[in-house]
Amino acid sequence: MLRLLILSILFFLARWTLAQDTIPVYQEPFHHLVFANDEIRILDVRLQPGDTSAWHVHRDAITYIGLEGSRIWLDVPGEHPRSVYLPDDFWGGDTDYPEAPFVHRIANVGLQPFHLLAVEHLQTRTNPSGTDTFLDGWEVLDINPYFIIQRTTLDALSTREDLLQGHALLICRGEGDMLIQWPEGTVALDHGNWITWPSAAQVFTFTNQSPSPMELILLTY
């Protein structure tokens, strides 16, 4: 019994020591930093089957938008590793990291590539802002001090207009192209592509050019 206790202590100490040799999540090789300003970072996270990340630490509030799902192995110091299946269209996040930084590593132990967008909020917040940005016809997925997350689906070959305001990030999901037009520009997005813009209120026109429904995820920060 004593021998087993000693071995258990040594096991967890070894894992804890290893976990101290960590890097910030935005420097982890599978978490590609694709955008940053004073408020947010956007990380494009991709792991092929068999890939394992380095130990990394989260220090900022974060939200995740899934694009390609797989079975993911989670390894946290002092805990037994576990695996969870994350579907293509999952979303989630954690707002406690500014107060309690989190160390872990992950691996893709499934058979499919794994792909998500992770959005970190870099400023400390206590109350959600921009609640006037709620949109008719959009489903509210989450409201927290850092993000308001909304979702809508456009039927095949359909068009809609919305007045968008506040600092925001728009992510496209689905097979095909979504044409997005606003007074200052036009862009076509496909699955996993995104745009972000300043806070000025503008009318956006969304046109689903594909023969199947497509989804838009709006993160207001």
Side-chain angles (χ1 to χ4, degrees), residues 71-127:
R71 180 162 291 278
I72 298 299
W73 176 78
L74 306 170
D75 194 13
V76 179
E79 299 180 10
H80 290 290
R82 60 189 178 93
S83 67
V84 296
Y85 181 77
L86 298 176
D88 294 345
D89 60 350
F90 82 94
W91 62 272
D94 199 302
T95 60
D96 293 333
Y97 294 157
E99 292 76 33
F102 179 68
V103 173
H104 75 158
R105 60 177 176 168
I106 62 174
N108 183 355
V109 294
L111 301 178
Q112 305 83 230
F114 181 67
H115 183 199
L116 62 79
L117 289 179
V119 186
E120 293 187 293
H121 203 297
L122 308 183
Q123 297 184 2
T124 301
R125 301 275 285 276
T126 56
N127 295 298

Side-chain angles (χ1 to χ4, degrees), residues 130 132-133 164-169 197-202 218-221:
D132 56 342
T133 63
L164 304 186
Q165 53 190 322
H167 293 197
L169 169 69
W197 62 89
S199 59
Q202 299 183 75
L218 178 68
L219 278 72
T220 305
Y221 58 89

Side-chain angles (χ1 to χ4, degrees), residues 15 38 45-46 48 61 64 68 72 77 84 86 89 99 103-105 110 143 152 176-177 189 203 213:
R15 291 171 60 78
D38 291 339
V45 184
R46 299 172 186 256
Q48 295 297 317
Y64 303 101
E68 293 180 85
I72 298 299
V84 296
L86 298 176
D89 60 350
E99 292 76 33
V103 173
H104 75 158
R105 60 177 176 168
I143 304 172
T152 193
D177 288 317
L189 301 183
V203 174

Side-chain angles (χ1 to χ4, degrees), residues 173-208:
R173 294 201 298 201
E175 296 183 6
D177 288 317
M178 182 77 69
L179 183 67
I180 302 176
Q181 299 170 293
W182 69 102
E184 297 175 1
T186 299
V187 65
L189 301 183
D190 58 11
H191 182 67
N193 284 337
W194 51 270
I195 58 171
T196 187
W197 62 89
S199 59
Q202 299 183 75
V203 174
F204 283 70
T205 301
F206 306 108
T207 303
N208 180 2

